[in-house]
Amino acid sequence: MSDDKSTPGGADTKPSNFLRQIVERDLAQGTYATRRFGGSPGDAAHHAAGLPDPARIRTRFPPEPNGYLHIGHAKSICLNFGLARDYAGACHLRFDDTNPEKEEQEYVDAILDAVKWLGFDWTSQGTEHLYHASNYFDFMYRAAEALIGADLAYVDEQTAEEMRANRGDFGHPGVDSPFRHRSPAENLARFREMRDGGHPDGSMVLRAKIDMASPNINLRDPAIYRIRRATHHNTGDTWCIYPMYTFAHPIEDALENITHSICTLEFEDQRPFYDWLLDHLCTLGLLAQPRPHQYEFARLNLTYIVTSKRKLRQLVADGHVSGWDDPRLPTIVGLRRRGYTPESLQLLAERSGVSKAGGWLDYSSLEIALRDDLDPKAARACVVLDPLKLKLTNFAEVFGSDDFADACHAPVHPGHPERGQRDFVLTRELWIEREDFLEVPTKGYHRLYPGNKARLKYGHIIECTGCEKDDAGNITAVLATIVPDTKSGTPGADAVKVKGVITWVSATTGLPAEVRLFDRLFTVPQPDAGGTDFLTVINPNSLKVVQAWVEPSLATARPDDKFQFERHGYFVADRHDHQPGRLVFNRTTTLKDTWAAK
Ligand code: ATP
Ligand code: MG
């Protein structure tokens, strides 16, 4: 990671945000200083028997393993693991698998990979903090019984429609259920019948007993357990009742000794219930104190992409893209295959800040972060993406033979001479970009046209003399002569002044490569905003594959190697299809400045 230097206390080198301020305040006030940690998740007694918690704070990243992670999750990962790293804490990776449907090992594996690849680790001071919420079902059940015993929960047998109607709305208080005033003993008996399979799915639920007139509808006796006969990937058929997310999540945090539970703004209205539940379970002696607190921040939205697992799944399932790792998708596997680096995603997460105000970040922020990361690192190379032959007609006169190969050199990286040189050769026939020749120049055009001189980058100056055409009038080759003694890096290099510089690859030693050029996947900046059906605004031209010629140094490129192709942008050797003898590159992004030569 780029900023491993940050140590506890070194956090002040980072831009502050309201979450950092909350953490710093809690550390200064010793809010969590008295906590003990039992070495693993557990109830109040388990933690009380442990040592003082070695982690000063605990955060968590709690994905539901029902799809591949995307750039929004990357932000949450960087935030939660970043806070733990910067404040001598621990961040737990928790699979939120309390919902029995839709969970697959493929997604679990992909999430583990994504977190590691982003540069984070759920092991802290020798303890692995990788957890599954479904391991807490026993405790959750016990907590539910305790609430019933304290007359804080009841079994409601109203139909779903009755419950909805009796909940009221913003302008109207709710109406108490006729089942609300049953005794704890009666509720306990009913709840155990629910657990033991005595009632059909949907026939009754357990509800918290709070306030049917609360202005916050989430506090109008929310459901906390439902009957659902479904086989769970971890607990099998042990349970036919499952906790609701709003009940499960605070408990998961508390069992794990989380201090700062950070989520996105949609959960702001749930916070009063989070507090209600944990306060009661602490009072009842079930959960350790001080308990976790929830804080909300605005989700990351980037233009020209969608970040919802459901929508991404649909793009994959309907074949709009080649798979979860299609380089046009904002999934972490897609971004990785596209050539984005962990550091660039960390940079984006950092720069996008943490705030309470939602908004859209321009897609170009991602590209800027990548350029900032790769410009000082990526090896350079020359390639021609839209090849046109260039014939140097006086080659034998200058070099003694048409078969001569004139050695040329270029730095691997212009800012790092210690990284050495790339060696390639100038030969009689070269590939140049089709756009670098015009029969009739436009105003301000300085590249090749009959009578004009331009420099072959790292080589000689040449003078264009004309072109060859096929019977249909298409240009098939450009003709030029070498201006002797003007080679780059020799004393005569500056004797002739030219304005245009041409990139090129030898037609004799250059290698063929497949290059994939991507455009945005959607034609509008907010593909799923305001009721737009994102499937109707897919860009039909988001992928263009070209047959390019590349300099010989790229023969040794390995999958995932990243380069700056001079003038064209940042590219990566495709992690699936690139192999020795079959070179395949993806364009991650173009260069910031459009090609300077005119
Ligand atoms: P999706 O709608 O794509 O399924 P989710 O929020 O339901 O996303 P989870 O697996 O439940 O997905 O999310 C794990 C964590 O990632 C949560 O803490 C959630 O708040 C966070 N997260 C998800 N999307 C974003 C986003 N766009 N920006 C910031 N954090 C996000
Ligand atoms: Mg979700």
Side-chain angles (χ1 to χ4, degrees):
M1 282 186 17
S2 57
D3 47 12
D4 268 344
K5 299 179 287 302
S6 43
T7 44
D12 40 274
T13 56
K14 294 272 176 59
S16 193
N17 60 52
F18 81 95
L19 290 173
R20 288 182 174 274
Q21 286 161 10
I22 288 167
V23 169
E24 285 165 16
R25 179 206 64 197
D26 285 338
L27 290 174
Q29 296 178 351
T31 313
Y32 293 100
T34 59
R35 289 173 319 131
R36 293 180 165 266
F37 186 62
S40 57
D43 62 10
H46 173 78
H47 288 307
L51 296 169
D53 194 336
R56 295 210 297 165
I57 61 167
R58 287 185 188 268
T59 56
R60 84 287 174 270
F61 174 66
E64 198 180 338
N66 62 353
Y68 279 71
L69 301 184
H70 52 64
I71 180 99
H73 296 111
K75 164 124 191 190
S76 179
I77 292 168
C78 291
L79 183 59
N80 282 293
F81 282 91
L83 284 173
R85 173 198 61 207
D86 292 345
Y87 293 100
C91 181
H92 300 187
L93 176 56
R94 177 201 308 150
F95 288 109
D96 208 328
D97 59 352
T98 52
N99 185 345
E101 287 119 16
K102 294 265 175 57
E103 274 140 24
E104 286 175 35
Q105 193 58 37
E106 178 193 355
Y107 300 140
V108 169
D109 294 340
I111 290 169
L112 294 172
D113 259 7
V115 175
K116 274 188 256 175
W117 178 76
L118 274 171
F120 298 103
D121 188 352
W122 46 88
T123 300
S124 156
Q125 298 169 334
T127 307
E128 232 200 333
H129 298 293
L130 176 62
Y131 301 119
H132 289 82
S134 58
N135 285 338
Y136 311 146
F137 282 154
D138 286 335
F139 179 88
M140 290 173 189
Y141 179 81
R142 180 152 71 95
E145 284 208 350
L147 291 177
I148 293 171
D151 201 17
L152 293 167
Y154 63 99
V155 173
D156 195 349
E157 298 181 36
Q158 293 183 100
T159 63
E161 295 73 54
E162 286 167 338
M163 256 185 269
R164 203 171 304 123
N166 289 338
R167 192 178 298 129
D169 54 34
F170 283 111
H172 304 89
V175 175
D176 283 4
S177 162
F179 301 93
R180 199 174 196 263
H181 305 290
R182 278 174 165 168
S183 70
E186 206 176 332
N187 280 315
L188 194 57
R190 274 283 183 285
F191 187 50
R192 289 181 177 170
E193 286 168 19
M194 282 171 62
R195 176 198 59 188
D196 296 339
H199 299 283
D201 285 16
S203 59
M204 52 186 74
V205 295
L206 184 70
R207 298 177 76 173
K209 192 172 185 175
I210 309 178
D211 179 6
M212 287 305 292
S214 171
N216 182 341
I217 292 181
N218 296 296
L219 291 181
R220 295 184 188 171
D221 294 6
I224 58 181
Y225 257 99
R226 62 189 167 136
I227 307 172
R228 180 88 186 82
R229 285 173 175 76
T231 304
H232 189 280
H233 76 104
N234 181 19
T235 56
D237 294 321
T238 307
W239 298 95
C240 68
I241 56 171
Y242 288 95
M244 305 298 285
Y245 178 82
T246 47
F247 176 75
H249 198 85
I251 292 178
E252 295 159 20
D253 286 344
L255 291 173
E256 292 179 19
N257 242 14
I258 300 302
T259 55
H260 301 82
S261 175
I262 298 162
C263 62
T264 45
L265 278 179
E266 311 90 86
F267 294 96
E268 195 168 20
D269 289 346
Q270 295 289 351
R271 182 162 21 102
F273 179 66
Y274 187 103
D275 293 339
W276 180 94
L277 180 64
L278 293 188
D279 283 341
H280 281 296
L281 294 174
C282 285
T283 306
L284 290 166
L286 268 69
L287 290 174
Q289 300 194 59
R291 65 165 176 87
H293 284 85
Q294 173 181 305
Y295 304 95
E296 310 86 18
F297 73 103
R299 21 182 329 123
L300 175 73
N301 292 311
L302 269 192
T303 56
Y304 294 101
I305 58 169
V306 292
T307 48
S308 141
K309 279 182 264 177
R310 183 181 60 76
K311 289 172 188 165
L312 294 170
R313 190 178 306 111
Q314 195 173 350
L315 289 170
V316 174
D318 296 355
H320 297 291
V321 292
S322 63
W324 284 102
D325 66 350
D326 188 295
R328 291 165 293 179
L329 287 186
T331 51
I332 295 181
V333 281
L335 292 164
R336 178 179 184 182
R337 190 170 175 193
R338 174 78 170 258
Y340 282 95
T341 57
E343 292 83 356
S344 63
L345 300 185
Q346 288 168 14
L347 213 57
L348 182 84
E350 193 83 38
R351 288 177 179 171
S352 60
V354 179
S355 88
K356 283 273 188 189
W360 288 74
L361 200 61
D362 199 83
Y363 185 84
S364 61
S365 325
L366 188 56
E367 301 177 316
I368 293 168
L370 182 84
R371 292 185 199 113
D372 288 349
D373 178 40
L374 282 190
D375 182 45
K377 297 191 216 166
R380 277 27 179 188
C382 282
V383 309
V384 172
L385 297 183
D386 185 13
L388 175 63
K389 208 40 110 36
L390 170 70
K391 296 180 177 173
L392 300 172
T393 53
N394 66 341
F395 196 85
E397 278 165 52
V398 176
F399 293 113
S401 159
D402 274 341
D403 298 328
F404 189 75
D406 186 40
C408 297
H409 311 283
V412 171
H413 191 290
H416 295 285
E418 76 283 1
R419 288 175 64 177
Q421 302 222 308
R422 296 135 52 197
D423 300 318
F424 46 94
V425 292
L426 181 81
T427 51
R428 184 178 185 276
E429 295 199 352
L430 309 175
W431 294 110
I432 62 168
E433 295 292 344
R434 190 164 286 275
E435 64 172 25
D436 285 354
F437 172 75
L438 286 181
E439 273 190 287
V440 181
T442 50
K443 193 163 179 292
Y445 187 85
H446 299 304
R447 286 170 273 171
L448 299 177
Y449 56 88
N452 194 44
K453 294 192 185 78
R455 175 173 296 284
L456 290 172
K457 197 165 188 191
Y458 308 117
H460 284 76
I461 286 171
I462 57 170
E463 177 169 356
C464 181
T465 54
C467 66
E468 292 175 354
K469 293 185 182 177
D470 64 13
D471 294 343
N474 301 310
I475 296 168
T476 53
V478 177
L479 304 175
T481 53
I482 294 171
V483 181
D485 303 322
T486 56
K487 189 172 176 182
S488 197
T490 66
D494 295 330
V496 182
K497 295 286 178 215
V498 293
K499 288 186 174 159
V501 180
I502 307 294
T503 51
W504 54 276
V505 168
S506 161
T508 317
T509 62
L511 303 170
E514 175 179 323
V515 177
R516 299 168 181 171
L517 306 172
F518 304 102
D519 198 351
R520 313 212 147 142
L521 188 53
F522 296 99
T523 53
V524 298
Q526 300 181 9
D528 51 358
T532 307
D533 175 0
F534 68 105
L535 295 176
T536 63
V537 289
I538 293 182
N539 175 5
N541 303 312
S542 58
L543 170 62
K544 186 173 158 199
V545 179
V546 299
Q547 296 304 318
W549 291 97
V550 305
E551 69 169 58
S553 75
L554 290 172
T556 54
R558 290 156 307 163
D560 281 334
D561 279 354
K562 294 166 185 70
F563 301 92
Q564 186 193 102
F565 288 170
E566 296 194 27
R567 143 189 203 175
H568 291 297
Y570 292 97
F571 291 72
V572 64
D574 188 77
R575 56 197 322 261
H576 289 313
D577 301 332
H578 177 94
Q579 47 188 272
R582 186 187 171 214
L583 310 186
V584 182
F585 295 97
N586 298 324
R587 182 167 68 195
T588 318
T589 177
T590 55
L591 293 179
K592 180 173 61 189
D593 304 311
T594 48
W595 174 233
K598 289 282 170 60

